[in-house]
Amino acid sequence: MSKIQMTTPLVEMDGDEMTRILWKMIKDDLILPFVDLKSEYYDLGLVHRDETGDQVTFDSANAALKYGVAVKCATITPNAARVKEYNLKEMYKSPNGTIRAIMDGTVFRAPIIVKGVEPYVKTWKKPITIARHAYGDVYKASEMKIPGPGKVELVYTAEDGTETRELVHNYKSAGIAQGMHNLVPSIESFARSCFNYALDTKQDLWFATKDTISKKYDHTFKDIFQEMFDKEYKEKFAAAGIEYFYTLIDDAVARVIKSEGGYIWACKNYDGDVMSDMVATAFGSLAMMTSVLVTPDGKYEYEAAHGTVQRHYYKHLKGEETSTNSVATIFAWSGAFRKRGELDNLPELVNYADCLEQATIETIESGYMTKDLALVSTLPDIHPLSSEDFIKAIAKRLAAKLA
Ligand code: NAP
Ligand code: MG
């Protein structure tokens, strides 16, 4: 069989621990036998990040901007324990944070749905994709403890020195205060990424804030989305047969629970933080959650939403058998191949991505799965597999599909 050809390289960002082990297995068994892989390889494993003083992370993000499609393995975000464990020169920042800052994108997270792993919410039939605005609000707030009676004000000093004041509160007792901010260009980038991703995936877009209470702050989010939609996206959405729908956050929560799924839910930073964990858990498994960073001008970085699965890695190091779920990492690769195929007009590569996903889902739906899924699956006949045997089972199906 001749291998499927590529024209533009994928930016490949390798990572850490158990997911690094899975990365190699996926390449060896599911990719290299079928695709003449062109990739520009960046090793974001912590050892190499340390050797390069984290330069490799910056280089990989710039390569993602240059080529337009990247696929990333989970990576360790160092804390004090990791600095000791790896004898690091510095406590480097989260690679995902660094990449997001360089690419200025929005993260879309969506669950992979399979028969036998039922959502806790009975009505959910299709994935719900959460888009989280990843800048500002409470995550970049300044706070104060107010010791006793006195006045707290917001003061804006313009460049010419003129001041505008707004009373926060006239305290009669001790209390607390907080100042948050956001930026119009950041909200615009967020809105644009959401509209484009909705068009790209042909799904409705929902957005919600608390604009009735927060008449300037949240209302600005609502207005920016609405103006951009009316000016640039209304006709495109109509042509694609999809809708943009705005409502209040509390109404959105009620509607989401009663819905069938199948749409993108755009959330402000805090709402996205809270709701993405709720949605991921309610869909049944963190290991079945994909994540893609999309820039306002359509560059993509695909990854799994979970971490490096440290506990399984330590078992692996001791020579014990592991049963780590590789589905989200496989879907990161298939998402990247599909996008590369669409951009470069390579139908065979798109077909390969579709077959890879189908082979993965069919393997699970025929009862062959890793232990995390075996524990929750409602299928009658279940065969738990090791990390390696699960990937080999998918490879067999994939080969049959592509033959
Ligand atoms: P984690 O890697 O997501 O794993 C937490 C637990 O969830 C695992 O111990 C395992 O439970 C279960 N799990 C997660 N993914 C699984 C999979 N694919 N298959 C089977 N079970 C899975 O989170 P963590 O252990 O808290 O973090 C480890 C490292 O990952 C940290 O250094 C963190 O910085 C990093 N991290 C990276 C990213 C990223 O690169 N995007 C995201 C999050 C965390 P059991 O142990 O019960 O089997
Ligand atoms: Mg969270």
Side-chain angles (χ1 to χ4, degrees):
M1 195 181 69
S2 67
K3 289 192 190 180
I4 297 159
Q5 296 299 309
M6 299 176 64
T7 46
T8 317
L10 279 180
V11 177
E12 178 185 349
M13 305 168 172
D14 206 347
D16 288 300
E17 298 194 313
M18 198 59 209
T19 41
R20 187 181 180 97
I21 308 289
L22 297 178
W23 195 259
K24 180 162 191 315
M25 290 180 187
I26 291 169
K27 281 178 72 175
D28 288 347
D29 293 335
L30 299 178
I31 298 172
L32 297 176
F34 308 104
V35 180
D36 193 4
L37 178 68
K38 270 199 166 66
S39 78
E40 196 164 292
Y41 179 86
Y42 292 87
D43 183 0
L44 267 55
L46 192 48
V47 173
H48 192 242
R49 268 184 278 155
D50 195 40
E51 284 165 2
T52 64
D54 210 24
Q55 187 59 37
V56 65
T57 308
F58 290 81
D59 293 346
S60 73
N62 285 318
L65 286 179
K66 175 175 165 197
Y67 291 109
V69 186
V71 55
K72 180 179 171 292
C73 181
T75 45
I76 292 169
T77 297
N79 54 16
R82 298 295 200 167
V83 171
K84 216 165 142 200
E85 181 184 355
Y86 283 83
N87 192 21
L88 300 178
K89 290 185 279 219
E90 260 181 71
M91 199 188 294
Y92 303 102
K93 288 200 179 133
S94 146
N96 288 59
T98 302
I99 294 167
R100 203 160 54 213
I102 293 173
M103 294 182 72
D104 176 32
T106 297
V107 174
F108 296 84
R109 277 181 155 204
I112 300 152
I113 294 185
V114 291
K115 278 194 211 86
V117 181
E118 308 300 331
Y120 289 90
V121 181
K122 279 182 295 194
T123 52
W124 289 358
K125 302 274 184 283
K126 292 182 244 171
I128 296 170
T129 303
I130 297 254
R132 173 180 169 188
H133 183 214
Y135 179 83
D137 300 352
V138 74
Y139 303 86
K140 282 222 188 294
S142 41
E143 307 189 323
M144 247 187 211
K145 282 196 169 195
I146 309 301
K151 198 163 64 169
V152 172
E153 288 178 303
L154 290 176
V155 183
Y156 164 65
T157 313
E159 278 182 323
D160 69 3
T162 45
E163 286 186 354
T164 315
R165 286 167 183 270
E166 183 75 37
L167 180 70
V168 174
H169 194 68
N170 214 337
Y171 289 78
K172 303 278 179 274
S173 68
I176 42 185
Q178 184 182 63
M180 306 197 292
H181 81 278
N182 222 300
L183 304 170
V184 167
S186 171
I187 304 169
E188 285 173 346
S189 288
F190 174 50
R192 189 169 300 287
S193 297
C194 290
F195 288 130
N196 286 342
Y197 196 67
L199 282 171
D200 206 29
T201 59
K202 298 233 172 358
Q203 297 184 87
D204 290 346
L205 176 67
W206 295 17
F207 182 44
T209 73
K210 195 70 186 174
D211 66 282
T212 47
I213 300 298
S214 173
K215 290 188 164 59
K216 290 186 184 139
Y217 200 104
D218 277 21
H219 216 291
T220 299
F221 280 81
K222 178 186 178 181
D223 292 344
I224 287 174
F225 268 71
Q226 194 63 52
E227 276 160 31
M228 190 181 285
F229 179 71
D230 292 342
K231 219 185 275 169
E232 297 177 52
Y233 289 98
K234 205 172 206 156
E235 275 142 39
K236 290 181 189 158
F237 268 52
I242 57 172
E243 281 183 4
Y244 169 60
F245 169 62
Y246 178 86
T247 187
L248 284 171
I249 184 70
D250 35 355
D251 180 50
V253 170
R255 284 172 188 262
V256 163
I257 295 296
K258 289 188 286 185
S259 77
E260 270 199 2
Y263 49 87
I264 298 161
W265 181 12
C267 292
K268 288 181 61 207
N269 209 349
Y270 176 81
D271 297 340
D273 186 351
V274 177
M275 292 307 163
S276 65
D277 279 15
M278 192 218 32
V279 169
T281 308
F283 268 108
S285 169
L286 179 66
M288 297 289 277
M289 195 54 110
T290 61
S291 181
V292 54
L293 175 71
V294 184
T295 69
D297 63 341
K299 309 273 165 65
Y300 298 77
E301 182 249 308
Y302 293 86
E303 62 178 306
H306 59 76
T308 60
V309 210
Q310 181 182 23
R311 200 181 65 82
H312 296 206
Y313 180 59
Y314 289 166
K315 270 178 78 173
H316 169 83
L317 287 182
K318 279 193 259 165
E320 292 173 32
E321 188 179 276
T322 59
S323 179
T324 313
N325 189 334
S326 47
V327 173
T329 307
I330 293 169
F331 273 62
W333 277 101
S334 59
F337 281 124
R338 181 179 296 108
K339 181 55 70 183
R340 202 61 273 170
E342 287 168 2
L343 293 173
D344 297 347
N345 198 16
L346 299 170
E348 270 196 83
L349 194 60
V350 174
N351 179 60
Y352 163 77
D354 292 343
C355 290
L356 176 56
E357 291 182 0
Q358 286 161 14
T360 305
I361 287 176
E362 285 168 18
T363 301
I364 299 169
E365 293 187 342
S366 62
Y368 295 87
M369 60 190 84
T370 46
K371 274 187 191 157
D372 57 310
L373 294 183
L375 281 173
V376 294
S377 176
T378 57
L379 293 179
D381 192 15
I382 292 171
H383 312 265
L385 299 178
S386 67
S387 309
E388 190 153 21
D389 289 346
F390 177 61
I391 289 172
K392 294 229 184 289
I394 298 170
K396 232 166 119 185
R397 270 177 199 270
L398 179 61
K401 276 184 194 294
L402 292 170

